Amino acid sequence: MNNQWVANTKLNKSLLALAVSAASLGATAQANDSVDVDTPERIMVTGSRIKRINFEAPSPTVVISAEDIKLTGAQNVNDILTGMPQFSDGFDSASGNYSFGNSGLNILDLRNMGEERTLVLVNGKRPPSVSTDNQGLFADVGTIPASLIERVEVMTGGASAIYGSDAIAGVVNFILRKDFEGTKANAHLSGTQEGGHSTRSLSFTHGFNFDDDNGNFTVAVDYLSESALTQNDREKAYNYQRSVTNPNKADGQPSKIWVKNVSPIPWGVPETIFSVYNDDDGGYDWYDFDESTQDVALRARYKDMYDGWLVDAGNGYEGTRWGNIEDPFERINLFSSVNYQFDDFDMSFDVTLARTESNNVIDPPFKRAWMQVSDVKELFDTPASITDNFQDTDWIGFHHTFHEVGGRKHKNVREFFSSSLTFSGVYNDEWFWDVNFSSGKSMNDLENKTQLRVDRLDSQLQVIGPCVEAGNCPSFSPFGRQSQALTDYVIDAFVATTDSVNHAFTANLSGDLYELPAGVMQMSSGLEVRYEGIHFDPSELWASGNLTSKKLPLDVSRNIKEAYVELLVPVISDMPFAELLEIEAAYRVADYSTNENRFESTKFAVNWSINEEVRLRSIFSQAVRAPQLYELYAGESVGYSTINDPCDESNIDGGPADGRRKANCALYGIPAGWNSNIKTTRGEVRNSGNADLQQEKANTLTVGFVYTPTSILEGLTLSVDFFDIKLKDKISEFDGEDVMENCVDLAANSIDNMFCNLVTRKDNGDVDYVRPLSLNFDQGRVRGTDFELYYSWDALSFDFKATRLYEDSTTTQDLAEGTAETNNEAGQLGRPKWASNLVTKYTLDDLTLSWTFKFKTSGRFDDDASENYRDSDTPSHSRIHNIRADYQLTDMASVYVGINNITDNNGGDHWTTSRGAYNGWAILGRSGYIGVNLDF
């Protein structure tokens, strides 16, 4: 090793060393020629940068091996992990249905604390990010080459002192193989019993050593295609069953009832329809208009409808014609790596290319309008059937659907590139160093194909815009289908683009400091410099405000500088009841160019091996999450949301008991008995970032033990770990309604406050628009216990993982009342008190059989509602049984077949889960798969 490296190492050793080498359990730096062959191999565990001789660390870590991944039958990495007890739904093919820019993403969520609080690593390093529809930056695990995953290590709890921002809920570290030799290929097909959502995948991996095994080259290609699961594919889909207002409610009866075999009236209708207000019933009756005969026919009476828009099947329209339960997507990943062992150091270089295409569709664009018959007669060529059957003073509601152009279609095309260059080595047998340079870019095109222009069709269905001056406006009639010229004029398309860039430099050093009576004190330290930037171009059309929504550009970046130091101190060894007692401590400081304050995080841990069989462990950390760029600087976006105006006559008596709301509304000039203009329609909201946001902070604690008997039940490992994550200064949004209420409730006889500055009213009191606001305001807490038991006996093995959740709460402050309210949702649907996986495997010669059982306790849809509010709001527990058989045909070929959900545990059996959005209650139903592996 040259003198420059020696000098640098000595300098770092006396000051602040540069932290640990290769970033994974299996990726160890090569020693130089002087290393004794008997020197124990040092390894690294997720949650620490110190290379240690044994795997025993104080951080509870779940390891998912390549074999575990294979047994799931899943080809998508996200599907594999979200089925584990520690994970919530995150982003997947079911989450993009109404978040159009998110289709095709695969983003993880640990502990249900939000994707932004889960840190993903690849070989111990941050991968470049991709963008969501709100320009959030996250690691998409779909870009990781699945065929090269050696294992996944999941550490739950704060790890910011080691890895920096975002590691509040925990860390998911993907370890890739670096020494692959040979050629392997896989072909996989799957399908569902009821149809829809088939999967096809192909993978090819080839690797070889060269130059007397000093070097290795590996290339891997993964292809995955998943078809859509549409609403039409399932007769129990959400559009055909709902919890609706009880139309015959009496004393002792629930306010909401579960109805089946219902269909909608106005949405996605492929016909000409309208509604007329019925004074006697107090609502709108719906009529069909026959364009050929010009006749009208009553379709549904308001009194026979549920919540004014659902009727019994046969009286409505095809509610499942539009929309996906799970979006289709197609992805191809290309990964290549070169690893070479020089005399004094190792070099590793890898490149990843990925392309994903996903599509989404919902009901067609539509335009709604309300006017009296007299206005209709004046504005349109009105059929006699209208004038003969209705009075001039009757109110007509038009819900005109442009079904000629099909559904509102969205297409996402993502291209991803990343590269990583690492140099690593060993000095003096006990100091491990590594330097890494990484860079990546993500490019996303969101194509919106069928958008209605509000600047060309006004609220009274009149064609407006540039055609008026030109004198060539196409005609529009609510009583007929539209010409191609009309749809070409009012329906438009655009492409929004988002580019994100990440660059990083890291340098780490770890090694032995001093020989203590109980062992060697070790340390790691290092520095990291990162750059991240995002450029969002919504297109001129979307930014113009001429569509039903508006989005402004975002072009922002920042630099991040971090340094850390970590110590491992053996305190006692080879004593009664203390085979080994170690303590660990770490400190990290980060400077973000977008924030004035430095971010600091710490770790303190105890690892106590009582004897060979029993080990106690505990770790306390102070973790942080820096606000994302979009949270700080997002440009204005305009949309519409349901808002209850506190000054409306139905809400004016609410708020604090001193009646300040009514008095403050009067300061706006609003009289008693006033009806808000947003009472029966959605109000305009204008969202944007908040540059004053600060970091979130969390105190996390884990305490547990590991039991590994050495005589009786040898082969058994049992661990139990309690975790407690307390999040403070949580970034939370005050939505439009929160802002309006705080405006008039905050102080008596005053509307001079920050919230009123976010509400714009017209001179007559009508709400023009509201600006929601994000602040470091709330608190959160997640508490529970993880259990893991593994036992193997000859050819039989059992692997059991479970989580018992005690608390999943958010604490919000009532500014007007000066009180705090904590809402614990543990046990509510989607936040199960118990979640577990049991994998049983048996091997007999060339045959391997496995059975997997996944269990999640159910819960109420809304545990804040009174017990008798709904007649049924709790589905059955989720019980999923999967079976699989693998058979080794030859040394080079094996086949497998599997059936998932063999008991057909179906989310469509209850209205709460028929959306398919709850992990464990999907309405996919029973599915099967088959595949072949070739290994040369």
Side-chain angles (χ1 to χ4, degrees):
M1 185 172 291
N2 62 50
N3 294 332
Q4 181 63 48
W5 279 112
V6 173
N8 284 346
T9 303
K10 290 180 177 179
L11 175 63
N12 290 331
K13 186 175 179 180
S14 61
L15 299 174
L16 178 67
L18 285 179
V20 69
S21 82
S24 72
L25 182 69
T28 56
Q30 298 292 322
N32 58 31
D33 293 339
S34 65
V35 176
D36 191 288
V37 294
D38 296 326
T39 301
E41 180 186 18
R42 300 205 187 194
I43 59 178
M44 192 187 305
V45 297
T46 298
S48 173
R49 294 285 192 182
I50 291 176
K51 279 183 171 288
R52 59 194 76 209
I53 295 176
N54 58 58
F55 187 74
E56 297 177 351
S59 304
T61 304
V62 175
V63 179
I64 305 120
S65 67
E67 178 70 13
D68 297 330
I69 293 173
K70 181 182 74 173
L71 292 179
T72 67
Q75 300 300 293
N76 203 352
V77 174
N78 191 74
D79 296 337
I80 297 166
L81 294 178
T82 54
M84 294 181 57
Q86 294 88 348
F87 287 87
S88 295
D89 292 347
F91 285 93
D92 57 17
S93 57
S95 65
N97 296 331
Y98 269 82
S99 298
F100 312 122
N102 294 333
S103 62
L105 288 176
N106 291 270
I107 302 174
L108 299 173
D109 182 1
L110 268 171
R111 303 293 190 201
N112 194 49
M113 297 196 72
E115 296 83 4
E116 64 273 19
R117 300 179 186 93
T118 299
L119 180 62
V120 171
L121 305 173
V122 177
N123 291 332
K125 298 177 177 62
R126 292 173 182 254
S129 303
V130 301
S131 62
T132 61
D133 66 348
N134 63 356
Q135 290 74 62
L137 295 177
F138 299 91
D140 184 352
V141 298
T143 62
I144 299 172
S147 59
L148 279 176
I149 295 176
E150 183 175 290
R151 67 186 176 278
V152 184
E153 297 176 1
V154 181
M155 174 203 160
T156 58
S160 292
I162 304 301
Y163 299 115
S165 175
D166 306 338
I168 285 180
V171 175
V172 183
N173 191 9
F174 291 84
I175 311 299
L176 305 183
R177 290 192 62 177
K178 288 191 173 184
D179 56 353
F180 184 84
E181 287 187 85
T183 302
K184 70 176 182 178
N186 170 266
H188 178 100
L189 293 172
S190 73
T192 63
Q193 183 178 9
E194 297 184 57
H197 202 60
S198 62
T199 299
R200 299 160 301 282
S201 71
L202 294 170
S203 67
F204 173 84
T205 308
H206 178 66
F208 60 89
N209 289 343
F210 59 91
D211 192 19
D212 295 330
D213 292 337
N214 287 317
N216 177 270
F217 175 79
T218 300
V219 61
V221 181
D222 291 338
Y223 170 80
L224 175 62
S225 173
E226 292 188 357
S227 64
L229 181 69
T230 69
Q231 295 279 355
N232 266 337
D233 290 330
R234 295 294 182 269
E235 64 178 11
K236 296 178 180 179
Y238 180 69
N239 274 2
Y240 278 159
Q241 55 179 327
R242 300 282 176 130
S243 181
V244 301
T245 302
N246 188 349
N248 302 308
K249 186 179 184 306
D251 291 342
Q253 292 185 337
S255 300
K256 293 278 189 177
I257 59 173
W258 178 12
V259 295
K260 305 177 184 179
N261 297 318
V262 293
S263 59
I265 286 291
W267 305 106
V269 178
E271 302 179 33
T272 300
I273 63 171
F274 62 90
S275 60
V276 177
Y277 190 78
N278 186 323
D279 289 314
D280 294 333
D281 295 342
Y284 282 89
D285 298 334
W286 285 90
Y287 294 83
D288 290 339
F289 181 81
D290 191 316
E291 298 169 24
S292 60
T293 66
Q294 300 285 289
D295 291 335
V296 298
L298 180 64
R299 181 80 179 198
R301 292 283 299 270
Y302 178 76
K303 67 178 183 179
D304 298 324
M305 301 175 69
Y306 302 105
D307 292 331
W309 70 286
L310 286 170
V311 295
D312 293 328
N315 293 329
Y317 299 95
E318 187 181 2
T320 58
R321 180 173 183 179
W322 311 101
N324 297 331
I325 297 172
E326 298 202 24
D327 294 324
F329 76 92
E330 185 176 40
R331 183 178 66 221
I332 184 166
N333 290 350
L334 172 63
F335 175 87
S336 63
S337 67
V338 178
N339 298 280
Y340 195 85
Q341 178 182 336
F342 293 92
D343 290 340
D344 296 325
F345 63 90
D346 291 351
M347 184 273 292
S348 177
F349 177 69
D350 61 69
V351 174
T352 301
L353 299 172
R355 188 182 191 275
T356 303
E357 182 175 315
S358 181
N359 293 279
N360 172 277
V361 60
I362 60 173
D363 50 288
F366 62 90
K367 185 70 173 181
R368 307 186 78 178
W370 289 266
M371 61 189 76
Q372 288 185 299
V373 172
S374 57
D375 296 324
V376 175
K377 291 163 61 176
E378 180 180 342
L379 295 172
F380 303 102
D381 183 9
T382 306
S385 56
I386 302 296
T387 59
D388 292 346
N389 287 286
F390 306 108
Q391 302 296 319
D392 283 356
T393 55
D394 285 335
W395 282 89
I396 283 186
F398 293 108
H399 188 105
H400 189 86
T401 301
F402 294 90
H403 65 82
E404 297 92 344
V405 300
R408 282 175 282 173
K409 306 177 185 71
H410 305 80
K411 179 180 178 181
N412 275 291
V413 177
R414 292 186 175 85
E415 295 182 343
F416 174 87
F417 165 82
S418 71
S419 64
S420 177
L421 175 63
T422 302
F423 297 97
S424 59
V426 181
Y427 171 67
N428 199 29
D429 297 348
E430 58 187 28
W431 284 96
F432 304 82
W433 60 267
D434 80 89
V435 177
N436 173 262
F437 307 86
S438 64
S439 181
K441 184 174 184 179
S442 172
M443 296 156 284
N444 178 32
D445 289 348
L446 170 61
E447 183 179 356
N448 292 259
K449 299 182 179 180
T450 45
Q451 296 293 309
L452 180 65
R453 296 190 62 138
V454 297
D455 64 326
R456 296 187 177 182
L457 195 63
D458 68 13
S459 60
Q460 288 194 308
L461 303 179
Q462 298 300 292
V463 180
I464 57 175
C467 71
V468 175
E469 184 175 344
N472 59 357
C473 287
S475 61
F476 173 89
S477 171
F479 301 107
R481 302 320 306 162
Q482 309 309 319
S483 66
Q484 186 66 48
L486 186 282
T487 56
D488 288 346
Y489 184 69
V490 301
I491 303 295
D492 214 333
F494 66 87
V495 176
T497 62
T498 309
D499 295 342
S500 60
V501 178
N502 296 87
H503 306 300
F505 166 79
T506 60
N508 306 298
L509 182 71
S510 70
D512 301 343
L513 282 179
Y514 303 104
E515 183 73 35
L516 299 176
V520 178
M521 177 190 297
Q522 297 175 265
M523 71 164 290
S524 70
S525 60
L527 59 86
E528 183 171 358
V529 179
R530 302 198 309 272
Y531 169 89
E532 59 183 23
I534 185 167
H535 174 76
F536 169 63
D537 180 4
S539 80
E540 183 178 347
L541 177 59
W542 199 5
S544 69
N546 292 329
L547 303 176
T548 53
S549 64
K550 177 182 178 181
K551 196 99 170 181
L552 293 184
L554 175 66
D555 190 359
V556 64
S557 63
R558 65 182 172 191
N559 297 306
I560 304 157
K561 302 174 184 177
E562 299 182 270
Y564 77 92
V565 61
E566 179 185 17
L567 290 175
L568 170 62
V569 182
V571 179
I572 301 175
S573 67
D574 300 324
M575 298 286 288
F577 304 105
E579 181 179 317
L580 179 64
L581 174 63
E582 298 174 320
I583 60 173
E584 294 183 24
Y587 170 79
R588 190 181 192 98
V589 61
D591 178 72
Y592 282 70
S593 62
T594 51
N595 293 79
E596 295 181 359
N597 299 329
R598 295 190 307 173
F599 299 170
E600 298 179 333
S601 49
T602 58
K603 177 186 86 167
F604 182 81
V606 177
N607 192 21
W608 176 15
S609 295
I610 296 177
N611 51 42
E612 291 183 345
E613 296 185 339
V614 180
R615 181 166 63 94
L616 306 181
R617 59 190 183 188
S618 179
I619 179 170
F620 174 80
S621 69
Q622 293 178 314
V624 297
R625 180 181 82 86
Q628 291 218 12
L629 289 171
Y630 83 94
E631 293 174 301
L632 294 166
Y633 304 116
E636 182 179 84
S637 64
V638 179
Y640 296 87
S641 178
T642 300
I643 301 174
N644 290 314
D645 189 340
C647 295
D648 182 84
E649 63 169 351
S650 57
N651 304 317
I652 193 69
D653 293 323
D658 60 8
R660 68 181 66 170
R661 175 180 291 186
K662 183 179 294 185
N664 286 337
C665 288
L667 295 177
Y668 272 116
I670 296 174
W674 181 74
N675 284 290
S676 175
N677 64 309
I678 59 173
K679 188 171 187 176
T680 58
T681 187
R682 295 184 299 168
E684 181 178 322
V685 293
R686 301 185 180 183
N687 290 279
S688 59
N690 179 6
D692 294 326
L693 290 175
Q694 296 298 315
Q695 72 268 33
E696 295 179 339
K697 303 173 185 176
N699 292 334
T700 74
L701 172 69
T702 61
V703 179
F705 72 90
V706 181
Y707 176 56
T708 53
T710 57
S711 54
I712 301 176
L713 293 179
E714 185 178 0
L716 171 72
T717 299
L718 170 67
S719 66
V720 179
D721 292 283
F722 169 79
F723 61 88
D724 188 354
I725 305 173
K726 298 179 181 178
L727 177 64
K728 57 184 179 180
D729 297 331
K730 179 182 178 182
I731 297 175
S732 302
E733 182 185 76
F734 287 80
D735 61 23
E737 189 168 320
D738 293 333
V739 167
M740 294 186 70
E741 287 184 352
N742 277 298
C743 168
V744 294
D745 292 348
L746 199 58
N749 299 313
S750 174
I751 52 175
D752 182 15
N753 58 66
M754 62 178 294
F755 293 102
C756 288
N757 294 335
L758 302 172
V759 180
T760 300
R761 292 183 183 267
K762 299 178 181 179
D763 292 340
N764 63 356
D766 284 351
V767 178
D768 192 4
Y769 59 87
V770 184
R771 293 185 181 276
L773 179 67
S774 292
L775 297 171
N776 295 92
F777 194 71
D778 291 339
Q779 301 176 49
R781 189 175 187 183
V782 178
R783 294 185 299 121
T785 300
D786 287 333
F787 304 85
E788 184 170 6
L789 185 150
Y790 178 82
Y791 181 66
S792 63
W793 180 54
D794 293 334
L796 183 65
S797 66
F798 302 90
D799 189 356
F800 176 74
K801 297 179 177 68
T803 296
R804 173 62 165 94
L805 185 64
Y806 309 124
E807 182 175 355
D808 184 351
S809 68
T810 300
T811 300
T812 58
Q813 306 291 323
D814 187 326
L815 295 177
E817 300 286 359
T819 59
E821 179 181 355
T822 298
N823 181 23
N824 181 15
E825 295 185 343
Q828 188 170 300
L829 183 61
R831 293 162 173 80
K833 287 187 176 181
W834 280 102
S836 64
N837 284 7
L838 171 64
V839 179
T840 303
K841 186 173 67 172
Y842 178 73
T843 301
L844 178 64
D845 297 328
D846 293 327
L847 177 66
T848 300
L849 302 175
S850 64
W851 165 59
T852 301
F853 175 55
K854 299 182 178 183
F855 174 78
K856 289 187 177 182
T857 55
S858 180
R860 297 184 62 201
F861 178 74
D862 181 5
D863 59 5
D864 292 329
S866 61
E867 290 291 339
N868 61 352
Y869 180 68
R870 291 185 173 92
D871 63 343
S872 176
D873 68 351
T874 306
S876 301
H877 297 315
S878 173
R879 300 177 177 90
I880 306 293
H881 298 266
N882 304 331
I883 58 174
R884 175 184 170 119
D886 292 74
Y887 187 74
Q888 192 73 35
L889 294 173
T890 69
D891 291 341
M892 295 187 299
S894 65
V895 295
Y896 59 88
V897 61
I899 302 176
N900 287 340
N901 194 10
I902 59 177
T903 60
D904 196 18
N905 185 87
N906 200 313
D909 291 335
H910 199 274
W911 69 268
T912 55
T913 51
S914 60
R915 289 177 182 267
Y918 286 100
N919 188 343
W921 285 269
I923 65 174
L924 197 66
R926 187 181 293 114
S927 63
Y929 60 90
I930 187 170
V932 58
N933 292 311
L934 300 177
D935 196 347
F936 303 97

